[in-house]
Every structure is written in C-alpha cells, then in structure tokens.
C-alpha cells in the first residue's frame, strides 16, 4: 500500500522538471523567432516612412504611412533604373542558378555513376574548391576577364556564377541517396542510352537535389555584391545589391535616398521568398523509396 501511494507522488515530482524544461525550450524558441523576425518587421514598417521619420528614429510608429509615395519615387528615380537593376538580378540569379544547378547535378551524377581514372583525386580538387572563399577569387577572375576583354559586360558576372564546387559535392550526395544503380541498369537493359537514362531517370530522381542547389545558388547570386563591384562600372549592368549600395553611399549628401534604399530592399527580398515557397514541395524526402525491391 505504501509503495502504491508513493508512486503517483514520485511521478508528479518527476513531471515538474520536465514541464519546466519544456517551458524553457518553448520560451527560448519564441525569443529566437522574435529575434529573427524583428529585422523583417523593421523593414516592413520602415519602407512606409519618409526621410524625416527614418532620420528621426520613428520607423516602428504606425502613425505615418508613405509607402505609395516611396514606391512612386523608387520607380521614377534615375529614369526607373531601379527596375533595370531588378531585371538584371533576375537574369543573373534566375538563369545563372538554373544552369549552375544543372551543371552541378550532371557532375555529381557522373562522379556517382561512372568510374574513370583519377576520379577521387578530381573530386578531391572539387572539395578543395569549396574551401576557397569567393572574395579571394575576385582579383584573379578580374585579371582573366580583362585579358578576355569582357570586363564591364554581362558575361563578367554571369559566367563565374555557373561554378559552384559545393553544389557538385551536394549533387553527388543526393545522387548516392536517390539514384539506385539497379534502376539505371534496368533503363539500360530497356535500350536507353546514357543521356536518355540520365535525363529520363536519373534527373527525375535527383530533382530534390537540383532544387536545393538551385535555391542555394539563387540566393548566393542574388546577394552577390563583391564580384559585380569589381567587374562592373556601368550602372545599367548593376545587380540590385550593387545598385542599392550606390544609392546608400549618396545618402549623406542626398538624404532623400534613404526611403529609396529601404523600400528597394523590401522589394528585393520578394523573389527569394517566392522561390523558397514555390519550390519547397520538391524537398520531400523519400521520392524513390520502394522503387527497388
């Protein structure tokens, strides 16, 4: 009887630390979420403020609302150069990330499926490329582009964006997990060539990896700043990041650029949000689970 009555009390005592730890974890997650969303909340409210509100520190007050005027000023500043920068970034990031993802998946597929002399050594060089920061390559790429005569052109920024050693490594990992060798052998036995096997079978299976590399590269190119700064001097070729920076450097002399920079930054995150929301369904794991018995 004594033992039976003591067990519920023991369970209640043991339950209290669990409740406290759960509350502490939830509280920490709430604080982390608030800390993460606070800059976005500031950007949303600051984009609707005029120059006086921004310089006066009244960015979070809901009393004033000038978003329409800021958007109109953004569209007319410099004969609409902002939206030219926006189109440039979409071209650099959209086409560049898509081609880069395809190149990375092709390379990762080849490293996974085929055997050739020096395969692991070559893959080691790819991994070595991951360790090299992109800023360290800016000057050599500028010298190379200068010899080729493509400095201050679209190609000086676009072509380097097609190279991503980490994407090759990630694509090989995805191919190892998503592309069973038995399925490829079955496709070959049905008469499919290597290109047809890759395009119709391998690429479909590794689609989550393609989307992952695409999103990583899209984000990297969209936020790329240093390479366009080194390569470009014509503001009509600027991506959005460099264009907003050029405006921001003039805010001391021209304070009216403050609302343009903030509102332009708000519009600048829209493609990233759309890309992640639209492509998140491709990240579902286990797409090929059960395909091989």
């Amino acid at each position: 009887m004594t033992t039976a009555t003591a067990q519920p009390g023991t369970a209640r005592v043991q339950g209290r630390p669990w409740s406290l730890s759960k509350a502490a974890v939830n509280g920490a997650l709430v604080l982390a979420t608030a800390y993460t969303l606070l800059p976005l909340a500031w950007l949303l409210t600051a984009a609707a403020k005029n120059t006086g509100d921004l310089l006066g520190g009244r960015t979070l007050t809901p009393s004033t609302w000038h978003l329409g005027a800021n958007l109109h000023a953004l569209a007319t500043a410099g004969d609409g150069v902002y939206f030219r920068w926006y189109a440039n970034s979409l071209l650099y990031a959209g086409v560049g990330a898509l081609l880069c993802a395809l190149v990375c998946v092709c390379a990762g597929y080849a490293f996974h499926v085929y055997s050739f002399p020096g395969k692991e050594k070559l893959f080691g060089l790819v991994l070595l490329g991951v360790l090299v920061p992109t800023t360290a390559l800016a000057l050599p790429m500028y010298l190379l582009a200068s010899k080729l005569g493509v400095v201050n052109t679209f190609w000086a920024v676009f072509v380097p964006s097609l190279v991503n050693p980490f994407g090759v490594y990630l694509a090989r990992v995805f191919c190892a997990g998503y592309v069973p060798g038995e399925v490829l052998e079955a496709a070959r036995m049905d008469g499919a060539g290597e290109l047809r096997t890759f395009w119709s079978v391998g690429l479909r299976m590794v689609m989550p990896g393609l989307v992952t590399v695409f999103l990583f590269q899209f984000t990297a190119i969209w936020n790329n700043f240093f390479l366009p700064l080194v390569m470009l001097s014509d503001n009509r070729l600027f991506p959005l990041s460099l264009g907003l920076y050029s405006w921001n450097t003039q805010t001391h002399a021209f304070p009216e650029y403050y609302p343009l920079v903030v509102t332009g930054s708000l519009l600048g995150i829209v493609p990233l949000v759309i890309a992640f929301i639209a492509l998140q369904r491709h990240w579902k794991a286990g797409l090929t689970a059960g395909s091989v018995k």
Side-chain angles (χ1 to χ4, degrees), residues 17 27 38-39 43-44 52 81 93 101 116 121-122 148 155 163 165 187 207 226 245 262 268 273 281 283 288 291:
L38 182 60
L43 185 61
L44 288 173
V81 69
F116 50 87
K121 293 182 180 179
L122 182 60
L148 296 176
W155 305 106
V163 180
M207 188 59 67
F226 192 69
Y245 170 78
V262 176
V273 174
R281 63 187 183 89
W283 286 351
T288 61
S291 61

Side-chain angles (χ1 to χ4, degrees), residues 179-198:
V179 184
E182 293 83 352
V183 176
L184 301 181
E185 289 298 330
R188 296 186 183 104
M189 291 179 64
D190 289 339
E194 293 299 326
L195 290 178
R196 179 64 182 274
T197 300
F198 167 73

Side-chain angles (χ1 to χ4, degrees), residues 63-198:
S63 57
T64 56
W65 190 263
H66 303 283
L67 182 60
N70 290 346
L71 291 175
H72 180 266
L74 189 67
T76 56
D79 295 328
V81 69
Y82 172 82
F83 291 102
R84 184 179 182 88
W85 296 338
Y86 211 95
N88 291 340
S89 289
L90 289 175
L91 185 61
Y92 290 136
V95 180
L98 182 61
L99 292 178
C100 176
L102 185 59
V103 169
C104 290
V105 169
C106 290
Y109 178 87
F111 275 118
H112 169 65
V113 173
Y114 302 111
S115 297
F116 50 87
K119 169 181 171 180
E120 296 303 327
K121 293 182 180 179
L122 182 60
F123 188 69
L125 290 178
V126 173
L127 295 180
L128 186 62
V130 177
L131 303 177
V132 180
T134 55
T135 53
L137 298 175
L139 181 58
M141 285 191 293
Y142 175 81
L143 296 176
L144 181 60
S146 179
K147 286 185 175 295
L148 296 176
V150 295
V151 174
N152 198 31
T153 65
F154 166 81
W155 305 106
V157 178
F158 178 77
V159 173
S161 67
L162 303 181
V163 180
N164 185 2
F166 179 74
V168 176
Y169 163 76
L170 198 61
R172 184 179 183 180
V173 172
F174 269 97
C175 288
Y178 282 84
V179 184
E182 293 83 352
V183 176
L184 301 181
E185 289 298 330
R188 296 186 183 104
M189 291 179 64
D190 289 339
E194 293 299 326
L195 290 178
R196 179 64 182 274
T197 300
F198 167 73

Side-chain angles (χ1 to χ4, degrees), residues 15 106 112 146 191 237 244 251-252 272:
C106 290
H112 169 65
S146 179
L237 297 174
L244 292 177
T251 51
H252 294 290
L272 297 176

Side-chain angles (χ1 to χ4, degrees), residues 1 3 25 29 39 97 158 160 184-186 199 211 240 244 247 279:
M1 293 295 292
T3 304
V25 170
L29 292 176
F158 178 77
L184 301 181
E185 289 298 330
W199 187 259
V211 172
L240 192 59
L244 292 177
W247 276 355
L279 299 176

